Amino acid sequence: MKEHAEAAGLNDKDVYAVQLAVDEACSNIIEHAYGGEGKGFIECACNVTEDGLQVIIRDNGMPFDPQQVQELNVGAPLEALGNRGAGVFLINKLMDEVHYQYTKSGGTTLTMSKKK
């Protein structure tokens, strides 16, 4: 991942942002799509583009519709936030473009881009 981000010409801050977004996305897949470790696959592909890096993450777990996630209230105290929705918020803040495609029969494709 890091090598692709660097090859795409991203600076250190943006390389870290990509790593953090991918880590959060994979953690969400493990927890929410599969209900725990070792229960499915996660496929990750990186494409160096003219303007940066594109990351595509696929799973075949429970489908994920980001419209079903309640918007995070960033002004609320930390203890009032609960444990849902922060990952989607974080991914959207870290990356320049984020698109989810899901099927009702199972599986989600997350496509994220970071521009240099």
Side-chain angles (χ1 to χ4, degrees):
M1 181 72 54
K2 181 179 178 185
E3 296 81 17
H4 289 92
E6 289 171 344
L10 300 182
N11 62 36
D12 289 343
K13 178 183 169 196
D14 289 341
V15 169
Y16 180 73
V18 170
Q19 290 176 307
L20 187 55
V22 169
D23 183 66
E24 184 60 38
C26 291
S27 294
N28 285 346
I29 292 168
I30 291 167
E31 182 178 348
H32 301 292
Y34 293 126
E37 292 185 42
K39 297 186 178 178
F41 79 93
I42 299 172
E43 178 183 317
C44 183
C46 297
N47 300 314
V48 175
T49 64
E50 287 183 20
D51 60 347
L53 182 71
Q54 179 188 60
V55 179
I56 302 169
I57 302 173
R58 292 185 182 95
D59 68 77
N60 66 351
M62 296 289 295
F64 175 69
D65 179 0
Q67 302 299 325
Q68 301 301 315
V69 175
Q70 195 171 27
E71 191 169 322
L72 187 68
N73 179 357
V74 294
L78 188 58
E79 55 275 357
L81 292 178
N83 60 354
R84 297 289 182 252
V88 172
F89 174 82
L90 182 63
I91 290 168
N92 285 322
K93 288 296 180 188
L94 291 169
M95 301 300 285
D96 295 316
E97 294 179 21
V98 179
H99 302 281
Y100 294 88
Q101 182 179 7
Y102 68 96
T103 62
K104 294 195 188 276
S105 61
T108 303
T109 300
L110 168 59
T111 305
M112 307 182 290
S113 298
K114 189 70 173 171
K115 296 184 186 332
K116 54 183 167 182

